[in-house]
Amino acid sequence: MDIKIGLLVKNRLTLTDVVTASKKLKKGGEVVPKNRGLKELSKESREMLESYQHLFYLLQTNPKYLAKLLFTMPQNNCTKFMESVVLTIYNYGTNSREECLLLRLFENALKEEVQRKVDKVQDISTGSPTVIKIVVGYYRGTQGNQNSLKSLLGPLIEQVMEDSDLNMNIHPLEVYKAWISRTETETGEPSKLPYDVTPEQALKHKEVTDEIENTIKKLVKIIKSFQEKIIGTVDQMPYGIRYMAMCLRKNLKEKFPESSEEEILKAVGNLLYYRYMNPVITAPDSFEVIDLAAGSNMNNVQRRNLGSIAKILQHAASFKIFDSDARYLASLNSFIKTAYIKFMEFFDAASTITDIDEHFNMDEFSDVTMLNKPMIFISPSEISNTHQLLLDHQKQVTDTDEDPMNEVLASLGPVPEDEQMLGDKSTEFGLVLTNKWELNMSDESNIQAMFSKTKYLIVDLLKIQRGETFAAILHTPANTQQQELYKAIHSRRLAAENEKTSEEEKNSKMALFDPNDTSIEKLKEHILKNLHILEQHKLVTPTEDYQEILTSIAKDICNQRKYRQRRKQDLKKIGETVERMNKKKKYYGEAVTYYQEYVKACVNNLSKGGKSKKGDRRKTAKYSAQKTLRERHPGGDREGSS
């Protein structure tokens, strides 16, 4: 409707402004065209715009495409593409829907990277995984997550910085030189000790070792407060970074099943502490977790103090004890062992979290119930670059020839020229995303419904008739007592079915009760018919006594409590979905009314403008052939008469 109104207005203005258009002529006589590219109100631009809307909706909602593309494209462009185009497609996760979809992409991309590039668990700690780097940068850089780190670590960091007497220098040479300088200041005489010595020589002096030990005691006390704060606020950490830790743990377990749980948790700790938290402690001013006065900076002592705290925390998180090369720090080893156990418990708890769909309350109906379609802000150059990359790596990105991505790329064709786009390649514009494939009940869904219904029918049969095997029960006639028992059960259910007020409930394809199963023989015929269809879809095997469906029934019985809880959650989601659908229905109803009134007003204005005023009517000039001839050849009549 918006496009139709736009075309109407455009054509109306074109007809009324023909005269003024001459003012826009170039010297050569050409009209200066106003190229609006994808926003141009033409058939070709509109079709291209719709195809790009379908393409980026597919990329946004199906993370497998971008996840595969990231590791098939040249790796020197991967990080730049991820930080610019990919985050743009998800609007940097500014709302819950887009954050959920972005997390899905991170999850798929991390799985691809672990499968393709990680040869051993230690590669996560020693290497520089692309996805982990992007994930950490995203969750440490966005405003909401910066606030999380600020509330978590900010107060402790500021406390360390505000203590002007605090000096966490534990290097023997620096402590030795500071001791000599202090002695010379106190005595007023130059020291007789050599200034340039080795660390071993410096440690031979009791004053140096005593000062290092006192500093270590202060350091341990401060580090304990940092660790307790980190461990105690696991629930305050951003959901996304914890979910990625869970995904990393799961992917490493799947690829390296022989690795110990401790080894995998160390890799998880490398993500959660070393990459995510450690840089914030060493350089808090770079991540805006502390408030500095205008023009002020951190001094070297503050940076060294925080660096010492971060270093010992990292040793504890990775269980790296000090050896003989740093024997002056050997007293820290007992603390590191104790702190390491606490960190392992923290990494285990932090990487155990609810599923993403449950957290964001998202399902396949969420997009259908949205009042406004999702929109991203993207530049023409980013559109064309993404389009070209997909064309270059189409075979690697798509799974089969029937993949939806192939259809969308075929409708787009080659990457359009720059003049077909918006003009300025760097100018962003709003691209509304639309789903080319509407949600519908597929054959697969119907088969799954039949599978569930057949389980229900089998349970009814097994309540009444027993046998050595399920096949034997199906082919053994029921006795009179069993028939009467089934009729009684059937009658009760039929009465309950008749109490339903909604015709949709009675005729639903998902309804488990069938009034036509009036006898056990008909019930068995119904079961056998369904089993035959399920066999064609390779869901059951007759030669194995239909063990697949019997096993599914057994699992349902064992998980009844879990299913009841899930049904409650599903009912809650359905209620919320219905509420959103009603809001959407009301919104579109109001929109239709508005458009109808707007078009009606336009038609009335056009009608009024087309009527001529009285007295302004002009008579049509009528000419005969003779009159026209006389005007063109004056005197012709006289010549003819003579």
Side-chain angles (χ1 to χ4, degrees):
M1 183 65 72
D2 288 327
I3 298 300
K4 292 179 180 179
I5 293 172
L7 287 168
L8 174 65
V9 173
K10 177 191 173 186
N11 292 330
R12 175 73 174 170
L13 291 173
T14 303
L15 291 172
T16 57
D17 295 341
V18 171
V19 178
T20 58
S22 60
K23 297 179 182 179
K24 299 180 180 180
L25 293 177
K26 286 185 176 180
K27 291 182 179 180
E30 278 185 38
V31 178
V32 180
K34 187 179 180 181
N35 180 20
R36 301 184 67 231
L38 292 176
K39 297 292 185 178
E40 184 69 31
L41 291 172
S42 65
K43 181 181 178 182
E44 293 77 11
S45 295
R46 183 62 189 171
E47 288 177 349
M48 186 183 298
L49 177 63
E50 288 179 351
S51 295
Y52 277 124
Q53 289 173 332
H54 299 154
L55 173 65
F56 282 93
Y57 181 88
L58 195 60
L59 288 174
Q60 192 188 67
T61 55
N62 290 269
K64 65 177 183 179
Y65 298 119
L66 286 173
K68 290 181 179 179
L69 182 62
L70 288 171
F71 296 101
T72 54
M73 64 187 292
Q75 289 306 291
N76 56 337
N77 297 330
C78 179
T79 303
K80 184 179 179 181
F81 180 76
M82 188 82 171
E83 290 176 343
S84 59
V85 179
V86 172
L87 293 179
T88 297
I89 292 174
Y90 294 93
N91 279 332
Y92 291 83
T94 51
N95 58 46
S96 59
R97 174 189 175 273
E98 285 155 356
E99 185 183 357
C100 177
L101 294 172
L102 181 59
L103 262 180
R104 284 293 189 203
L105 170 65
F106 287 154
E107 178 185 3
N108 280 263
L110 180 62
K111 185 175 183 179
E112 286 284 332
E113 186 164 26
V114 169
Q115 293 298 323
R116 291 171 183 249
K117 297 193 171 185
V118 178
D119 297 322
K120 54 184 183 295
V121 175
Q122 290 76 13
D123 288 349
I124 299 296
S125 303
T126 58
S128 181
T130 302
V131 178
I132 288 180
K133 185 166 61 175
I134 299 298
V135 167
V136 170
Y138 171 75
Y139 281 103
R140 204 169 49 204
T142 53
Q143 187 61 40
N145 297 308
Q146 274 185 350
N147 292 336
S148 174
L149 284 170
K150 187 173 183 177
S151 62
L152 175 65
L153 298 172
L156 290 173
I157 292 173
E158 288 179 353
Q159 187 177 347
V160 171
M161 291 176 60
E162 289 170 0
D163 191 346
S164 57
D165 297 329
L166 187 63
N167 190 339
M168 294 295 179
N169 192 358
I170 53 177
H171 194 278
L173 287 180
E174 294 181 9
V175 172
Y176 174 78
K177 292 177 181 179
W179 169 57
I180 289 178
S181 298
R182 191 167 55 251
T183 303
E184 290 176 342
T185 302
E186 291 174 355
T187 60
E189 297 179 359
S191 175
K192 296 179 181 180
L193 295 172
Y195 194 74
D196 294 323
V197 295
T198 63
E200 290 76 14
Q201 292 172 332
L203 288 169
K204 290 180 180 179
H205 298 274
K206 187 176 183 299
E207 290 82 357
V208 174
T209 56
D210 287 347
E211 186 170 342
I212 290 176
E213 284 299 320
N214 290 332
T215 303
I216 287 175
K217 289 178 181 178
K218 295 178 183 177
L219 184 61
V220 168
K221 184 179 179 181
I222 294 173
I223 291 172
K224 282 182 177 179
S225 64
F226 270 80
Q227 187 184 35
E228 288 172 1
K229 181 69 173 178
I230 292 170
I231 292 173
T233 55
V234 61
D235 293 331
Q236 297 177 22
M237 291 179 65
Y239 172 84
I241 197 72
R242 292 184 62 189
Y243 183 75
M244 292 310 299
M246 184 172 73
C247 293
L248 176 63
R249 184 176 179 180
K250 177 184 175 183
N251 292 330
L252 292 175
K253 278 184 179 180
E254 290 177 355
K255 186 168 184 181
F256 307 104
E258 72 285 352
S259 299
S260 65
E261 184 71 12
E262 181 182 1
E263 194 175 7
I264 291 174
L265 282 178
K266 277 187 179 181
V268 172
N270 181 267
L271 165 62
L272 290 176
Y273 175 74
Y274 179 69
R275 296 183 187 274
Y276 179 61
M277 296 183 183
N278 194 70
V280 176
I281 298 174
T282 56
D285 52 337
S286 300
F287 299 100
E288 300 180 9
V289 297
I290 56 171
D291 298 321
L292 292 174
S296 63
N297 295 306
M298 292 177 60
N299 58 48
N300 292 333
V301 175
Q302 291 172 331
R303 292 191 185 279
R304 184 173 55 201
N305 290 342
L306 292 171
S308 298
I309 293 169
K311 179 182 177 181
I312 305 304
L313 279 171
Q314 172 56 19
H315 276 255
S318 59
F319 195 45
K320 184 179 179 180
I321 61 174
F322 294 100
D323 52 21
S324 57
D325 293 337
R327 68 177 188 275
Y328 60 95
L329 298 177
S331 58
L332 281 169
N333 288 340
S334 59
F335 165 74
I336 287 173
K337 291 176 183 178
T338 305
Y340 171 71
I341 296 172
K342 293 180 179 179
F343 265 129
M344 286 295 105
E345 294 173 353
F346 166 70
F347 298 148
D348 178 41
S351 59
T352 305
I353 198 166
T354 57
D355 185 67
I356 189 170
D357 291 331
E358 183 179 346
H359 177 78
F360 289 102
N361 195 22
M362 293 274 291
D363 54 34
E364 65 271 26
F365 304 106
S366 298
D367 277 8
V368 182
T369 60
M370 291 176 61
L371 285 177
N372 300 315
K373 292 182 179 180
M375 176 186 287
I376 63 173
F377 292 89
I378 191 167
S379 67
S381 61
E382 290 171 337
I383 291 176
S384 59
N385 290 341
T386 306
H387 187 181
Q388 188 62 57
L389 282 170
L390 288 169
L391 289 175
D392 294 341
H393 306 285
Q394 187 172 351
K395 291 184 179 179
Q396 293 86 353
V397 169
T398 56
D399 297 326
T400 62
D401 293 339
E402 292 77 25
D403 196 293
M405 179 60 71
N406 291 327
E407 183 179 340
V408 175
L409 291 176
S411 66
L412 277 169
V415 178
E417 299 295 331
D418 289 344
E419 56 266 22
Q420 290 180 275
M421 307 298 282
L422 275 182
D424 186 358
K425 296 174 68 175
S426 61
T427 303
E428 292 186 346
F429 69 97
L431 183 68
V432 178
L433 307 185
T434 56
N435 184 8
K436 187 174 183 179
W437 296 271
E438 295 297 332
L439 188 69
N440 59 359
M441 179 66 80
S442 63
D443 293 338
E444 183 180 353
S445 300
N446 291 329
I447 291 299
Q448 290 299 327
M450 178 179 285
F451 188 84
S452 299
K453 184 172 182 176
T454 306
K455 288 195 294 183
Y456 185 86
L457 298 175
I458 290 172
V459 170
D460 276 354
L461 178 61
L462 295 179
K463 286 179 181 178
I464 297 168
Q465 193 172 351
R466 306 290 174 86
E468 293 183 2
T469 63
F470 180 57
I473 296 173
L474 286 172
H475 297 94
T476 301
N479 57 39
T480 306
Q481 184 179 358
Q482 292 169 342
Q483 290 282 9
E484 293 298 327
L485 179 60
Y486 177 77
K487 285 182 180 179
I489 295 173
H490 185 272
S491 298
R492 287 198 300 271
R493 287 187 177 163
L494 184 61
E497 189 74 12
N498 291 331
E499 290 179 0
K500 291 183 178 179
T501 56
S502 171
E503 289 297 325
E504 291 184 3
E505 289 180 344
K506 294 179 181 180
N507 300 324
S508 173
K509 293 180 181 180
M510 301 296 290
L512 298 175
F513 176 74
D514 192 338
N516 297 320
D517 296 334
T518 55
S519 65
I520 292 183
E521 284 71 21
K522 290 186 177 181
L523 175 65
K524 290 179 180 180
E525 289 175 5
H526 195 169
I527 292 172
L528 287 168
K529 179 182 176 182
N530 287 2
L531 289 174
H532 179 67
I533 296 173
L534 295 174
E535 180 188 353
Q536 292 176 342
H537 287 80
K538 298 180 180 180
L539 293 177
V540 295
T541 309
T543 55
E544 297 181 3
D545 197 31
Y546 305 103
Q547 189 59 46
E548 297 88 349
I549 198 166
L550 296 176
T551 302
S552 181
I553 292 171
K555 288 181 179 179
D556 289 346
I557 294 171
C558 294
N559 297 320
Q560 284 187 52
R561 180 173 175 274
K562 188 185 294 184
Y563 290 160
R564 279 196 293 268
Q565 292 176 343
R566 187 179 299 173
R567 275 198 300 272
K568 287 181 181 179
Q569 294 174 354
D570 289 344
L571 285 172
K572 182 181 178 182
K573 284 185 180 180
I574 290 170
E576 293 172 353
T577 301
V578 170
E579 185 179 353
R580 291 197 298 268
M581 288 292 286
N582 289 332
K583 289 181 180 178
K584 189 172 183 180
K585 181 181 178 182
K586 181 181 178 183
Y587 170 81
Y588 280 126
E590 292 172 351
V592 168
T593 303
Y594 169 78
Y595 281 132
Q596 287 174 343
E597 292 176 354
Y598 181 79
V599 172
K600 186 178 179 181
C602 289
V603 171
N604 290 336
N605 290 335
L606 288 172
S607 300
K608 291 178 182 178
K611 292 181 180 180
S612 301
K613 296 181 180 179
K614 289 183 179 180
D616 192 38
R617 295 180 179 178
R618 297 179 182 178
K619 294 182 178 180
T620 304
K622 297 180 180 180
Y623 286 86
S624 64
Q626 288 183 351
K627 187 175 181 180
T628 304
L629 185 63
R630 281 198 303 268
E631 289 182 357
R632 291 185 178 181
H633 304 283
D637 288 341
R638 292 190 299 271
E639 290 176 2
S641 59
S642 64

